[in-house]
Amino acid sequence: MDRLRQMFGAGKPAAPAPVIPAPVSEPSVPAPAVPAPATVAAAPAAERAHWLGRLKAGLRKTGSSISTVFTGTKIDDALYEELEDALLMADTGVKATQHLLADLKRRVKETKATEPAAVKELLAQSLADLLQPLEKPLVIGQYTPTVIMVAGVNGAGKTTSIGKLTKHLADEGASVLLAAADTYRAAAREQLGVWATRNTVEIVSQQGGDPAAVSFDAVTAGKARKKDVVLVDTAGRLPTQLHLMEELKKIRRVVTKADATAPHEVLLVIDGNTGQNALAQVRAFDDALQLTGLVVTKLDGTAKGGVLAAIAQERPIPVYFIGVGEKLEDLETFNAREFAQALLS
């Protein structure tokens, strides 16, 4: 846990008291060291560069469509109209598109830009600024264990993302306990078990058990075994399935009974290919569960990527991780400026 449990420095001793005429004071006692919460770090530079190359490749279709707007020689109303169409086609959404266009025109006026290439760079800056509120690291260690509840619709890559996140945490030295609370989907427990074995972590599961009961047992076990993280895999469901959304709320309530401070993180996994439907999912799950973070998956070919701008504009919930493929190392921390450059490359 060296990287996770960095220590704060001890308190400084008090200045010495004068010898005459005052009596010598008792020396101050250094404050006890306190474990500092740690963040899940990005990959080393070389690995990050390789991963960014894959992200750019995954978003190339969108990037090419937007870049085509800036191949002309004039900065006029026609350019802005083409850009508006390109942004909307990239799933940016009406509100975010209007915001970006207004901000871009302001930047062009202030900088007196005359070249389309310069305007494209200004757009990248505007997009990065819009996405900046989404850039926030996942913090581990403030609570022991840190209980992370993970939700998402079937097919979004929820259980796979949990496996990848487990690897990130294990690589940082965290001890992880998995809770197989997706008891509805066939083979879900077995799938999570494979990830547990691959990452050499413990798992709490029940054959056909109640999801809330499994979650309660896992959090209780995590506390007893002094685990750093408990990851709760919940059943995938559509936000329109109201009875299943109520089940998610029940899981959250029961987790709080096991640990009054939990859950400490409630993550939603969304498929980057689903466009504006992803924004609808964020709204619905946030209203039901009070989301603390997002994991965006499958930005590896057909995804348009602009939906993150729509989320930033309308429901700015932090994006902890984005994924570009199926491998363990394909999940990485989100960086607003990197994403903006990749989207417009």
Side-chain angles (χ1 to χ4, degrees):
M1 290 297 293
D2 289 343
R3 294 179 63 186
L4 272 177
R5 299 200 176 282
Q6 303 165 1
M7 310 301 281
F8 288 122
K12 296 181 179 179
V19 177
I20 299 175
V24 178
S25 63
E26 291 286 334
S28 63
V29 179
V34 179
T39 60
V40 180
E47 294 179 22
R48 185 78 177 186
H50 175 70
W51 180 85
L52 282 173
R54 296 194 59 200
L55 177 61
K56 289 179 180 179
L59 298 174
R60 184 167 293 151
K61 184 176 181 180
T62 296
S64 298
S65 297
I66 297 176
S67 295
T68 301
V69 175
F70 300 99
T71 56
T73 58
K74 291 184 178 181
I75 302 173
D76 52 17
D77 290 341
L79 181 145
Y80 288 120
E81 288 176 4
E82 289 182 37
L83 179 57
E84 180 178 15
D85 291 342
L87 289 173
L88 290 172
M89 290 295 292
D91 288 328
T92 304
V94 174
K95 291 183 180 179
T97 296
Q98 291 174 343
H99 168 84
L100 288 170
L101 288 173
D103 190 56
L104 177 62
K105 290 176 181 179
R106 177 187 62 80
R107 291 171 187 262
V108 169
K109 183 177 180 180
E110 289 179 354
T111 60
K112 297 181 172 59
T114 58
E115 298 295 329
V119 177
K120 180 182 176 182
E121 177 56 32
L122 291 175
L123 176 62
Q125 295 173 15
S126 180
L127 180 59
D129 287 348
L130 176 61
L131 296 175
Q132 189 62 45
L134 305 186
E135 185 181 318
K136 180 183 176 184
L138 175 62
V139 177
I140 301 298
Q142 185 175 356
Y143 301 93
T144 304
T146 298
V147 180
I148 303 175
M149 181 177 167
V150 186
V153 304
N154 283 328
K158 175 175 54 65
T159 303
T160 301
S161 295
I162 289 174
K164 294 176 182 178
L165 178 54
T166 301
K167 182 181 187 305
H168 270 273
L169 293 166
D171 286 349
E172 295 295 327
S175 57
V176 181
L177 178 67
L178 298 179
D182 185 351
T183 59
Y184 294 116
R185 182 168 62 89
R189 184 169 60 97
E190 290 77 6
Q191 183 184 359
L192 195 66
V194 170
W195 285 110
T197 301
R198 189 179 301 182
N199 291 302
T200 61
V201 301
E202 297 178 53
I203 183 171
V204 172
S205 64
Q206 297 176 6
Q207 181 69 45
D210 177 72
V214 174
S215 304
F216 182 89
D217 290 347
V219 175
T220 303
K223 293 171 67 177
R225 301 174 195 177
K226 300 188 183 305
K227 296 295 183 181
D228 297 303
V229 179
V230 174
L231 271 168
V232 181
D233 180 18
T234 66
R237 65 216 49 221
L238 295 172
T240 54
Q241 296 171 310
L242 299 181
H243 63 296
L244 294 181
M245 292 295 281
E246 288 300 320
E247 180 71 41
L248 280 181
K249 294 179 184 179
K250 177 183 175 182
I251 292 174
R252 183 185 174 106
R253 290 195 303 270
V254 169
V255 164
T256 302
K257 290 181 180 179
D259 182 340
T261 67
H264 307 109
E265 296 282 351
V266 182
L267 309 186
L268 177 67
V269 178
I270 55 176
D271 182 342
N273 292 287
T274 55
Q276 287 297 296
N277 188 41
L279 177 58
Q281 291 175 25
V282 170
R283 289 196 196 103
F285 280 91
D286 187 35
D287 289 343
L289 300 173
Q290 296 78 57
L291 298 175
T292 63
L294 304 175
V295 179
V296 184
T297 64
K298 305 182 183 182
L299 296 172
D300 53 0
T302 59
K304 298 177 181 179
V307 69
L308 289 191
I311 291 171
Q313 181 69 27
E314 299 189 43
R315 198 66 69 105
I317 297 167
V319 176
Y320 288 143
F321 298 95
I322 52 178
V324 296
E326 293 299 321
K327 296 180 181 178
L328 279 171
E329 61 271 19
D330 289 338
L331 191 72
E332 259 298 344
T333 53
F334 173 73
N335 179 285
R337 192 157 299 280
E338 288 177 350
F339 188 86
Q341 293 291 344
L343 188 62
L344 300 180
S345 62

